[in-house]
Amino acid sequence: MNTQKLASLEGKSLLTWLDFTSEEIRLFLDFSKQVKSEKNERKERFKGKTLAMLFEKRSTRTRCAFETAFGEEGGHPVFLSTDDIQLGAKESVEDTARVLGRMFSAIQFRGFKQSTVKTLADYSGVPVYNGLTDLFHPTQALADILTLEENFGNCQGKKLVFAGDGRNNVARSLLVICSKLGVNFSIITPPALAPDAELLAQCDPIAKTYGANIRVSSDLNEVIGANAVYTDVWVSMGEESKRVERRTLLLPYQVNQNLMDRTGRKDTIFLHCLPAVKGEEVTTEVIDGPQSRAWDEAENRKWTIKAIMLATLPK
Ligand code: CP
Ligand code: NVA
């Protein structure tokens, strides 16, 4: 590990991978591997530090990853849901950020607007981590790439295919990280759920620089040759009113054994950020079957999140 380069990440917030260079993302990835390999060691690296964990939406993995990673290294994480805190209700996000920045070493935010996590970063003066917004889920994407690399080695030139809601936070984050790391990334989705043109245009030159072939298609044959097939729920948090419409649009893109077999590779793995709605975006056979790496991927949330915090929290 190049500790000098790692030190250059100190003080940074993680709002979206768009704010990081390819080299920096690689540092986070390699450091995550190191942190995972030392998972049974307790070093108290967060001793005397505090983490505010703000949640507007529910969470199992993200909350538990941040909380256990921080706590087991001697830090004090404080969980604050919108039932507990004034955030945006009785007090502006700016003022909340100013106050939390005086009391905490870092802030994790999960919620609706990307602008909220940006404001927290702009006004708190401490590192802020995006634990999912409507637009991005960057800590998830790092765990996804780590899982890909655990199975296939360096991710550059590998093929990842996302089948499902192509405009959601998980697909968008994969689009960015794959462009930056040279991963060939296809989104198969109906035209109505394609990722927005602005993000695609933003990623296009990045993908060209790093040799990533980025494709958006409604053709299921896009899975041919895929190292990994990925899906996410059809209805993201906050979009519950769209359930009926999404079922109709996305049923043809369900990840089932037929789609997995269509890759033409025996070693294709299945990824899912979880939670999953078994029988909708993925069949039980696939997610609970031998090709699934969803549970490793869930565990990897913890090591990648610990690595992100270790690298960015000022010493
Ligand atoms: N993948 C993920 O973010 O899971 P949670 O919603 O449980 O945190
Ligand atoms: N797209 C999903 C991801 C959950 C981890 C959601 O936003 O609900």
Side-chain angles (χ1 to χ4, degrees):
M1 225 29 253
N2 186 328
T3 45
Q4 215 174 346
K5 284 197 175 151
L6 203 58
S8 71
L9 300 169
E10 231 177 270
K12 286 189 188 276
S13 290
L14 171 53
L15 310 183
T16 154
W17 290 118
L18 285 167
D19 301 336
F20 288 83
T21 65
S22 298
E23 195 189 7
E24 288 171 332
I25 303 173
R26 174 48 58 193
L27 278 172
F28 279 120
L29 257 179
D30 291 343
F31 189 41
S32 299
K33 289 177 191 172
Q34 185 184 318
V35 167
K36 185 172 182 179
S37 72
E38 299 165 353
K39 68 173 160 184
N40 295 321
E41 298 174 27
R42 295 287 171 272
K43 302 185 180 186
E44 304 223 300
R45 288 172 287 188
F46 296 133
K47 194 169 180 196
K49 309 251 185 240
T50 47
L51 173 70
M53 307 204 327
L54 272 47
F55 283 83
E56 291 179 341
K57 295 178 178 173
R58 285 171 183 256
S59 169
T60 298
R61 280 140 289 269
T62 308
R63 175 185 176 175
C64 296
F66 271 101
E67 198 159 331
T68 58
F70 202 69
E72 74 189 16
E73 292 279 348
H76 181 189
V78 178
F79 176 81
L80 298 160
S81 80
T82 34
D83 290 337
D84 309 308
I85 191 173
Q86 304 289 11
L87 185 79
K90 265 192 168 171
E91 191 167 31
S92 69
V93 179
E94 287 85 343
D95 289 357
T96 307
R98 288 182 173 111
V99 173
L100 294 179
R102 299 289 181 107
M103 299 191 187
F104 289 91
S105 318
I107 299 168
Q108 183 284 159
F109 172 78
R110 162 168 291 203
F112 294 92
K113 295 182 187 159
Q114 185 73 14
S115 61
T116 306
V117 78
K118 174 82 169 70
T119 305
L120 288 170
D122 289 346
Y123 286 83
S124 65
V126 296
V128 173
Y129 311 116
N130 178 359
L132 180 150
T133 62
D134 289 348
L135 293 189
F136 292 110
H137 195 5
T139 63
Q140 178 70 53
L142 193 69
D144 301 339
I145 298 295
L146 174 61
T147 314
L148 186 69
E149 293 209 336
E150 285 176 341
N151 286 274
F152 296 102
N154 192 300
C155 63
Q156 196 170 17
K158 302 298 183 299
K159 182 173 181 180
L160 174 63
V161 177
F162 179 94
D165 176 10
R167 36 147 297 292
N168 83 8
N169 41 18
V170 167
R172 289 168 51 92
S173 299
L174 289 170
L175 180 58
V176 175
I177 207 166
C178 289
S179 299
K180 296 227 172 196
L181 294 175
V183 180
N184 299 322
F185 181 56
S186 297
I187 294 181
I188 47 175
T189 189
L193 295 175
D196 66 279
E198 197 187 326
L199 184 67
L200 285 169
Q202 214 173 348
C203 289
D204 184 59
I206 304 170
K208 286 202 169 80
T209 304
Y210 297 104
N213 184 9
I214 304 292
R215 295 164 63 87
V216 179
S217 169
S218 45
D219 182 357
L220 296 181
N221 279 329
E222 273 298 322
V223 296
I224 293 171
N227 297 90
V229 176
Y230 195 122
T231 191
D232 181 14
V233 287
W234 289 345
V235 183
S236 286
M237 289 179 276
E239 299 186 326
E240 288 73 13
S241 65
K242 305 222 186 291
R243 179 161 292 283
V244 175
E245 167 191 331
R246 290 285 168 74
R247 261 190 85 86
T248 315
L249 278 169
L250 287 167
L251 196 57
Y253 301 88
Q254 182 190 62
V255 179
N256 49 38
Q257 199 57 48
N258 276 342
L259 193 72
M260 292 301 290
D261 293 344
R262 209 157 166 165
T263 65
R265 296 179 63 124
K266 293 229 177 324
D267 62 350
T268 301
I269 60 168
F270 169 74
L271 296 175
H272 194 309
C273 56
L274 304 174
V277 184
K278 297 180 186 182
E280 283 204 355
E281 75 275 4
V282 60
T283 57
T284 303
E285 183 186 22
V286 170
I287 194 167
D288 292 339
Q291 288 169 285
S292 177
R293 297 293 179 276
W295 318 109
D296 294 338
E297 187 184 2
E299 182 192 331
N300 284 340
R301 298 295 309 288
K302 177 165 175 172
W303 312 121
T304 44
I305 281 171
K306 191 187 259 196
I308 290 164
M309 293 194 291
L310 283 171
T312 55
L313 261 175
K315 301 291 170 291

